């Protein structure tokens, strides 16, 4: 018989999310499962019971009834001891568990002979695990909401404006930590028009910060900060001292600080001291996204927004829940993708396959046996280095390549040969040919100096412009189509062949000119923010 997936109402204070939504219920049923939802589970996220019934789910009156019938339970928050007691022995629990922070809970889950998949233990190093990565989904929403909360508490516009009533400077926002939440906050603040600065211990995220419209503020201390798995590591005392000095400077200059620094299983690092808060301008705002783990700011009160030294410090622990409908939709999609991995046969049964690295990492308890922590991932060996390429012989002293200026000796030889050739042509060629030849030589020289001394990566936009500018052919074609008058005032009309070639050349040149400028504009637009 197909397993029954139960979705209870979350009991944590202020929690508005629900573990699945009506849209996902339909997809779970297509996988062969039956779905039951506790009455009122989705009310806070604007998913009424009737929408679940319409999607094919059964609505049960209370949590006790649901837990007694469910073979699989989808949850958002960590289950309480009372909820664990109500779970059916041998059933499966999927949701946030945080086993490192909840050792007693792990023993309670094992005592009930449960199979527990902790969505927070997903091996994020695996690229195929991204579709199941609820931590990333929730962090992105939290980063967005942090900026919205900051804007609500801030007393000005984020973007600068010049109005008849006066000039409004743009807000300066500093974001500590450029993980998923930090990057979401950077993008949101930049889109609102603020001047955004950000810092992270991992130097490799600097390009990501810049691409979202922020400025990466580097700590004046060299140390690698990547801790693996997408997280930062605990830095040395020397680095932390240099970092605090940088934060102190940013606190004096910026209007809004958003902190996101958090390492799973460890208390939140203290980044913003009381002295830094006191140095901030009155009316400034701090949003501490690590408040649930103690906070990055020394004066943060978890779950509250307080004012200290004229600075509003927002310590809400439910940022994702404040966008309940959006976060519920993303979270339920993450659980759906996980369920698809567990039920590839689409027969309404779960297969917790320990041969699958992603499933093995997620499983913290299997049939009552604690299996956390999972063994290290067996990542594929790096490819063997290719044989060293044969050494490229050095060019002779007088040689040069694209983007390299000619040596003085080579330039003198070229100019000498050119002068000799030009002198011979001047002695024996007709005067009319000489004038055209002069223009040709000058055009070749200018083209050489313009193109050869330019970095190769710029050749495409450069050539498109020079093609447009070099369309002096249009002038020659116009002269043939409408030749000048002779001394008697009569026009020297060309024959039909020359006239046809001139018109054809004029058409091609027009395409070349307009096309060259069009290509240049498109390429330059790629580099504009």
């Amino acid at each position: 018989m197909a397993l029954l997936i139960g979705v209870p109402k979350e009991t944590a204070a202020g929690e508005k999310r629900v573990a699945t939504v009506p849209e996902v219920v339909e997809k779970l049923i297509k996988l062969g499962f039956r779905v039951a939802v506790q009455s009122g589970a989705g009310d806070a996220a604007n998913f009424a019971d009737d929408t679940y019934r319409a999607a094919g789910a059964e609505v049960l009156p209370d949590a006790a009834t649901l837990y007694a019938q469910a073979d699989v339970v989808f949850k958002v928050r960590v289950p309480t001891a009372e909820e664990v007691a109500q779970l059916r022995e041998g059933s499966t629990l999927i949701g946030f568990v945080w086993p490192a922070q909840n050792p007693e809970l792990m023993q309670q889950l094992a005592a009930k002979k449960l199979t527990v998949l902790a969505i927070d233990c997903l091996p994020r190093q695996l690229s195929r695990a991204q579709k199941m990565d609820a931590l990333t989904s929730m962090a992105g929403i939290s980063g967005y909401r942090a900026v919205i909360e900051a804007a609500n508490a801030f007393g000005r516009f984020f973007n600068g404006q010049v109005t008849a009533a006066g000039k409004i400077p743009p807000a300066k926002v500093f974001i500590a930590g450029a993980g998923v939440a930090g990057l979401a906050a950077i993008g949101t603040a930049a889109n609102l028009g603020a001047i955004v600065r950000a810092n992270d211990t991992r130097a490799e995220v600097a390009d990501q910060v810049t691409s979202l419209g922020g400025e990466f503020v580097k700590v004046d201390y060299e140390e690698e900060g990547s801790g693996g798995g997408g997280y930062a590591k605990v830095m040395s005392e020397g680095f932390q001292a240099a970092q605090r000095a940088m934060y102190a400077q940013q606190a004096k200059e910026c209007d809004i600080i958003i902190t996101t620094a958090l390492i799973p299983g460890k208390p939140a690092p203290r980044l913003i001291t009381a002295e830094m808060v006191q140095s901030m301008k009155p009316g400034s705002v701090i949003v501490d996204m690590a408040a649930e783990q103690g906070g990055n700011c020394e004066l943060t009160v978890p779950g509250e927004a307080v004012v200290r030294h004229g600075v509003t410090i927002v310590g809400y622990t439910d940022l994702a829940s404040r966008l309940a409908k959006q976060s519920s939709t993303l979270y339920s999609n993450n659980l759906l993708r996980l369920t698809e991995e567990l039920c590839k046969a689409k027969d309404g049964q779960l297969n917790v396959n320990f041969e699958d690295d992603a499933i093995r990492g997620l499983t913290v308890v299997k049939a009552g046996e604690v299996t956390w922590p999972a063994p290290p991932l067996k990542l594929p060996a790096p490819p063997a280095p290719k044989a060293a390429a044969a050494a490229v012989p050095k060019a002779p002293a007088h040689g040069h390549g694209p983007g390299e200026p000619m040596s003085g000796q080579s330039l003198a030889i070229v100019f000498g040969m050119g002068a000799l050739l030009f002198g011979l042509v001047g002695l024996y060629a007709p005067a009319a040919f000489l004038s055209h030849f002069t223009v040709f030589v000058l055009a070749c020289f200018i083209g050489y100096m313009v193109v050869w001394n330019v970095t190769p990566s710029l050749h495409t936009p450069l050539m498109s412009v020079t093609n447009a500018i070099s369309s002096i052919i249009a002038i020659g074609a116009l002269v043939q189509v409408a030749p000048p008058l002779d001394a008697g005032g009569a026009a020297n009309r060309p024959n039909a062949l020359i006239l046809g070639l001139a018109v054809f050349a004029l058409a091609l040149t027009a395409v070349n000119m307009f096309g060259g400028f069009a290509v240049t504009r498109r390429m330059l637009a790629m580099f504009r923010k």
Side-chain angles (χ1 to χ4, degrees):
M1 184 178 178
L3 298 180
L4 176 66
I5 296 176
V7 181
K9 183 177 182 178
E10 297 296 323
T11 58
E15 182 57 69
K16 299 178 181 179
R17 289 173 292 178
V18 61
T20 199
V21 300
E23 180 184 352
V24 171
V25 167
E26 297 176 356
K27 297 175 182 178
L28 291 172
I29 292 173
K30 289 180 181 179
L31 289 175
F33 294 97
R34 297 175 294 131
V35 181
V37 180
Q38 181 183 343
S39 179
D43 286 350
N46 294 317
F47 296 110
D49 290 348
D50 288 342
T51 61
Y52 284 104
R53 290 191 184 95
E58 182 183 359
V59 177
L60 300 180
D62 52 45
T65 305
L66 183 137
Y67 285 128
Q69 299 183 23
D71 302 297
V72 183
V73 174
F74 283 0
K75 271 189 62 61
V76 179
R77 288 279 187 165
V78 176
T80 63
E82 293 76 13
E83 289 174 325
V84 173
Q86 295 180 60
L87 287 167
R88 277 181 53 198
E89 187 169 309
S91 59
T92 299
L93 173 67
I94 302 176
F96 285 104
V97 177
W98 303 108
Q101 291 95 315
N102 299 292
E104 293 182 3
L105 173 65
M106 291 289 290
Q107 296 304 317
Q108 293 172 3
L109 295 170
K112 293 283 289 188
K113 307 296 182 184
L114 300 175
T115 295
V116 182
L117 282 76
I119 199 71
D120 47 275
C121 292
L122 179 74
R124 302 170 80 186
Q125 304 95 313
L126 300 175
S127 58
R128 68 182 186 85
Q130 294 177 2
K131 61 185 178 181
M132 302 178 274
D133 191 356
L135 284 175
T136 294
S137 299
M138 298 302 102
I141 292 174
S142 297
Y144 172 87
R145 184 68 190 197
V147 176
I148 301 303
E149 294 293 343
N152 181 58
F154 190 50
R156 292 205 324 261
F157 296 140
F158 266 43
N159 63 323
Q161 296 186 19
V162 178
T163 69
K167 181 179 179 181
I168 303 170
K172 294 180 180 178
V173 179
F174 178 71
I175 297 171
V180 175
L183 292 174
I186 291 168
T188 305
N191 288 337
L192 289 174
I195 297 173
V196 184
R197 303 169 184 169
N199 168 261
D200 197 281
T201 57
R202 297 160 294 179
E204 64 267 21
V205 305
D207 290 340
Q208 300 176 39
V209 171
T210 304
S211 69
L212 290 170
E215 173 192 353
F216 188 78
V217 182
K218 194 174 184 297
V219 177
D220 190 16
Y221 193 98
E222 294 297 330
E223 182 177 349
E224 173 55 41
S226 180
Y231 297 105
K233 70 175 185 179
V234 178
M235 306 301 287
S236 67
E237 285 296 329
F239 182 92
Q240 292 181 32
Q243 188 182 51
R244 283 192 293 270
M246 183 269 291
Y247 284 156
Q249 182 63 32
Q250 294 300 321
K252 294 176 182 178
E253 297 178 4
C254 292
D255 304 298
I256 295 168
I257 295 178
I258 298 175
T259 64
T260 71
L262 192 62
I263 299 175
K266 299 181 182 294
R270 296 290 190 193
L271 304 179
I272 309 298
T273 64
E275 290 76 13
M276 295 180 194
V277 175
Q278 194 168 2
S279 71
M280 296 181 73
K281 292 172 282 189
S284 298
V285 178
I286 296 174
V287 180
D288 193 340
M289 295 184 63
E292 194 167 9
Q293 298 299 323
N296 296 138
C297 177
E298 188 177 348
L299 302 181
T300 296
V301 178
E304 299 181 20
V306 298
V307 179
R308 300 288 185 267
H309 305 295
V311 177
T312 302
I313 304 173
V314 179
Y316 297 147
T317 59
D318 60 345
L319 290 172
S321 184
R322 288 170 179 257
L323 286 169
K325 187 165 187 176
Q326 182 68 77
S327 55
S328 296
T329 301
L330 293 183
Y331 181 70
S332 62
N333 278 324
N334 293 139
L335 296 191
L336 170 66
R337 301 309 172 198
L338 172 57
T339 307
E340 289 175 344
E341 293 294 318
L342 295 168
C343 181
K344 293 184 177 180
K346 299 184 179 181
D347 57 356
Q349 302 295 321
L350 297 184
N351 177 25
V352 182
N353 179 17
F354 270 24
E355 297 299 319
D356 186 320
D357 287 338
I359 303 303
R360 177 63 188 91
L362 284 167
T363 308
V364 297
V365 180
K366 185 175 183 182
E369 178 186 356
V370 176
T371 59
W372 181 86
L377 286 176
K378 296 179 182 179
L379 298 175
K386 296 181 179 179
V392 179
K394 291 186 178 180
H398 60 274
H400 56 278
E404 299 177 5
M406 294 178 64
S407 64
Q409 182 182 358
S410 299
L411 195 62
I413 293 173
V414 171
F415 269 99
M417 294 178 63
L420 178 61
L421 178 63
F422 193 75
L424 292 173
V425 171
L427 288 173
Y428 300 103
F433 175 80
L434 185 61
S435 63
H436 293 297
F437 183 70
T438 303
V439 174
F440 173 74
V441 171
L442 290 176
C444 290
F445 175 74
I446 293 172
Y448 169 82
M449 296 302 293
V450 168
V451 175
W452 195 264
N453 291 308
V454 171
T455 304
S457 61
L458 298 177
H459 278 176
T460 301
L462 175 69
M463 290 302 293
S464 64
V465 175
T466 53
N467 283 345
I469 297 175
S470 66
S471 297
I472 195 170
I473 301 169
I475 298 175
L478 288 173
V479 170
Q480 295 299 326
V481 172
L485 302 178
D486 57 15
N492 298 317
R493 296 291 179 186
N495 59 40
L497 177 60
I498 295 177
L499 182 62
L501 289 175
V503 172
F504 183 67
L506 190 61
L508 288 182
T509 303
V511 173
N512 187 34
M513 291 175 63
F514 291 106
F517 284 117
V519 170
T520 301
R521 288 191 61 184
R522 290 187 63 181
M523 294 199 67
L524 293 177
M526 294 170 60
F527 298 94
R528 294 196 183 103
K529 296 179 181 177

